Amino acid sequence: MKRRDFVKSTGLALSGTAFFPGNLLACQNQTDDKPNILWITCEDMSPHLGCYGDTYARTPNLDRFASQGVRYEHAFATAPVCTPARSCLITGLFATTLGTQHLRGVQPLSTRVHCFTEFLRDAGYYCSNNVKEDYNFETPDTAWDESSDTAHWRKRGTGQPFFSVFNLMTTHQSQTRYVGDALQEKTQSLPDHQRYEAGTVPIPPYYPDTPLVRENLAAFYTQVSIMDGQVQQLLDQLAEDGLAEDTIVFFYSDHGDGLPRGKRWLHDSGLQVPLIIRFPPKYQYLAPALPGAAVDRMVSFVDFAPTVLSIAGVDIPDVMQGAAFLGGREGRAREYVVATRDRVDEVLEISRAIRDSRFKYIRNFLPHRPRMQRSFYSERTPIREEIRRLHDLDDLSGDTTYLMAATKPAEELYDTRDDPLEMRNLADSEAHRGALQRLKTALFDWILESRDSGFLPESDLLARAHGRMPIDVTGSDRVYPLAHVLETADLVGRGTSALPKLQEALADEDAAVRYWAATGLAALGSDAAAAVPNLRPRLQ
């Protein structure tokens, strides 16, 4: 199998058939008529919509929109934070392949990498973005006809097809940090049928049930309802312009909830997003199901760019790592989705996750760090403040202690069918040993084939790139012996049995191997005392 095909399958064999019946119809009916495509995106929100079964959420507009379109039940971001997720969305490549995985670690743009909108523009589309980019590289002038807070499809040429993005900040983490009188004031701005009472808000088991937690959750849901109205305003504009029957509309979020154990975590609460796509009657042949239906097919953000190109009838560049899930160039359904977590703000994590339709495997390569490291930006979240306050009072128990754990398991395995909140780690279960090994093998295959650059310390990554985008250099084993580096990284968290290999790796000629050897010793703590004489001379 060619490397590109292997990576497109997300590290393993694809499942399903090459084309759905609807694709055959698409091939038969495809004309030169190009659909308009509208992306309405929101931020920091898991599928908290009535149409997804959230009985507390009051989202009549998006619920109606879902009845007119198809609802994807298994759509996932490739990272649980905006910048790496968005760099993947705009390019069709994983952030860890590009080297854009560290939040706001802006990279120079490789000549090998293009925003998919450049191909749309070459095909005659007017492309507008309103307004957030956050790609972790400087946006090329060729990416958009306009990218600003006034960008709109209305500025296109007469009869010109468009691809337009409107990004709604309303549900962003920063917009949900209010409680008390501020909550009451904001809630009162909603119509009666959309108001929330904190006393009835559902509490996940990893949060303590206190008034402050309830108010913060009610504030989040309030923002969801406000965003629901903003979506309808955009849909109304489309109808007013007489374009609703010519436009395929996507609605989705950039990753999971901007609350503790959502954004920044590799659980489904940080990765799973709502995805609803509405096809007007003239483009219904492109839809995977009838209006109002739910689709089980797993899709990943890495698939979005090729999907838009496929819908538009534009060839998909070989460099893209995803596969279209709609249109005449649709690929086969994927068996797994992969996600990554690296540095966010000042907080360093290196974790990888892979999920099939049932099981989720997470490998934490820095298991000796706390589950909820302190982060200046996030510490102002009321729920986080409350959890820390109760922890200091020794007033947490049971599942509410989860986020305050001083360390993490090296490996996590969850049965998302029986344990959708991913609270029961099955990594040590003999009955699930086969599932863990299968997923781990697939994940490590993906790391190698996608040339995951995250196993280089960030400063080392920049040094090896020599001012270029990491993708231009990390594909070379001479520059980046990834298999050898990964082998050493996988010793971290493996207990004292790994000590001899870690000590041996301290003398390796590659700095990244030595880094992971030292990290493995740090994770062992006092159990690695025998390695101190070997470690000390190498600390410089």
Side-chain angles (χ1 to χ4, degrees), residues 127-275:
C127 296
S128 66
N129 178 58
N130 189 327
V131 58
K132 187 171 182 177
E133 295 176 351
D134 217 10
Y135 306 141
N136 245 16
F137 54 78
E138 185 174 349
T139 308
D141 293 338
T142 49
W144 301 103
D145 289 282
E146 182 177 354
S147 180
S148 73
D149 58 5
T150 62
H152 204 289
W153 67 74
R154 289 173 172 168
K155 299 183 181 183
R156 76 196 190 285
T158 302
Q160 186 177 13
F162 68 80
F163 172 75
S164 289
V165 178
F166 286 84
N167 185 80
L168 305 175
M169 286 282 293
T170 315
T171 51
H172 187 268
Q173 173 184 1
S174 61
Q175 306 301 306
T176 64
R177 294 169 171 168
Y178 57 87
V179 293
D181 292 342
L183 173 61
Q184 293 303 314
E185 181 179 354
K186 183 78 75 165
T187 299
Q188 287 173 9
S189 68
L190 293 171
D192 290 344
H193 67 279
Q194 285 187 283
R195 293 182 185 174
Y196 295 98
E197 295 296 334
T200 60
V201 67
I203 307 289
Y206 41 83
Y207 291 165
D209 187 350
T210 71
L212 189 64
V213 169
R214 287 185 168 276
E215 289 185 341
N216 195 182
L217 286 169
F220 167 78
Y221 275 99
T222 297
Q223 295 302 119
V224 170
S225 284
I226 294 171
M227 179 273 298
D228 178 74
Q230 294 170 335
V231 170
Q232 188 58 47
Q233 290 173 11
L234 289 167
L235 296 175
D236 289 345
Q237 289 180 27
L238 198 67
E240 289 165 6
D241 291 355
L243 295 169
E245 296 306 311
D246 300 302
T247 306
I248 297 171
V249 183
F250 287 61
F251 169 82
Y252 67 93
S253 170
D254 66 347
H255 49 70
D257 294 343
L259 298 170
R261 207 177 183 268
K263 186 176 184 177
R264 298 174 175 81
W265 274 266
L266 289 175
H267 300 293
D268 281 2
S269 50
L271 296 170
Q272 189 172 8
V273 300
L275 172 62

Side-chain angles (χ1 to χ4, degrees), residues 335-336 356 359 433-443:
E335 188 175 358
Y336 297 98
D356 64 13
F359 290 101
R433 182 60 49 189
L436 183 147
Q437 192 56 50
R438 173 176 58 85
L439 288 166
K440 180 189 173 183
T441 298
L443 176 64

Side-chain angles (χ1 to χ4, degrees), residues 195-508:
R195 293 182 185 174
Y196 295 98
E197 295 296 334
T200 60
V201 67
I203 307 289
Y206 41 83
Y207 291 165
D209 187 350
T210 71
L212 189 64
V213 169
R214 287 185 168 276
E215 289 185 341
N216 195 182
L217 286 169
F220 167 78
Y221 275 99
T222 297
Q223 295 302 119
V224 170
S225 284
I226 294 171
M227 179 273 298
D228 178 74
Q230 294 170 335
V231 170
Q232 188 58 47
Q233 290 173 11
L234 289 167
L235 296 175
D236 289 345
Q237 289 180 27
L238 198 67
E240 289 165 6
D241 291 355
L243 295 169
E245 296 306 311
D246 300 302
T247 306
I248 297 171
V249 183
F250 287 61
F251 169 82
Y252 67 93
S253 170
D254 66 347
H255 49 70
D257 294 343
L259 298 170
R261 207 177 183 268
K263 186 176 184 177
R264 298 174 175 81
W265 274 266
L266 289 175
H267 300 293
D268 281 2
S269 50
L271 296 170
Q272 189 172 8
V273 300
L275 172 62
I276 306 168
I277 307 176
R278 187 180 74 180
F279 303 83
K282 68 185 294 184
Y283 296 118
Q284 189 61 43
Y285 66 84
L286 290 167
L290 294 174
V295 178
D296 284 335
R297 178 174 182 163
M298 287 201 303
V299 298
S300 165
F301 275 9
V302 76
D303 302 325
F304 280 39
T307 296
V308 171
L309 295 180
S310 178
I311 290 173
V314 177
D315 289 338
I316 300 169
D318 286 347
V319 70
M320 287 188 177
Q321 294 172 311
F325 55 87
L326 295 169
R329 293 161 175 77
E330 180 179 344
R332 290 177 290 175
R334 61 173 58 251
E335 188 175 358
Y336 297 98
V337 293
V338 174
T340 64
R341 162 67 204 269
D342 294 83
R343 181 184 59 74
V344 177
D345 298 323
E346 77 278 27
V347 177
L348 179 63
E349 287 284 4
I350 304 173
S351 296
R352 300 290 181 265
I354 189 167
R355 189 196 196 281
D356 64 13
S357 60
R358 180 173 178 180
F359 290 101
K360 159 83 70 64
Y361 171 77
I362 301 173
R363 177 61 165 103
N364 296 306
F365 291 94
L366 302 178
H368 52 299
R369 292 175 177 258
R371 278 201 187 275
M372 189 167 72
Q373 296 189 61
R374 289 194 177 273
S375 169
F376 176 80
Y377 183 76
S378 292
E379 291 306 312
R380 291 173 289 167
T381 302
I383 289 176
R384 188 183 281 238
E385 292 176 341
E386 182 75 338
I387 290 172
R388 293 208 189 278
R389 182 185 72 84
L390 294 173
H391 174 73
D392 290 344
L393 295 173
D394 196 23
D395 203 13
L396 296 174
S397 61
D399 289 337
T400 64
T401 64
Y402 178 91
L403 287 165
M404 291 306 301
T407 61
K408 302 178 290 292
E411 294 181 301
E412 301 176 64
L413 180 72
Y414 300 100
D415 183 339
T416 64
R417 185 189 68 184
D418 296 340
D419 178 26
L421 294 180
E422 298 170 68
M423 296 299 297
R424 297 188 295 276
N425 184 8
L426 304 173
D428 293 330
S429 166
E430 285 300 322
H432 296 88
R433 182 60 49 189
L436 183 147
Q437 192 56 50
R438 173 176 58 85
L439 288 166
K440 180 189 173 183
T441 298
L443 176 64
F444 278 44
D445 285 346
W446 174 85
I447 288 170
L448 294 171
E449 293 296 332
S450 69
R451 300 300 296 184
D452 184 339
S453 62
F455 293 89
L456 289 174
E458 193 170 358
S459 58
D460 194 359
L461 176 66
L462 297 176
R464 296 187 196 210
H466 290 294
R468 290 172 286 176
M469 197 174 203
I471 189 175
D472 287 333
V473 296
T474 54
S476 166
D477 276 329
R478 180 183 59 80
V479 176
Y480 180 31
L482 177 54
H484 186 34
V485 174
L486 179 62
E487 181 182 23
T488 309
D490 194 38
L491 296 173
V492 179
R494 298 298 183 188
T496 55
S497 62
L499 189 54
K501 289 185 177 180
L502 290 170
Q503 292 206 72
E504 180 183 347
L506 281 175
D508 196 270

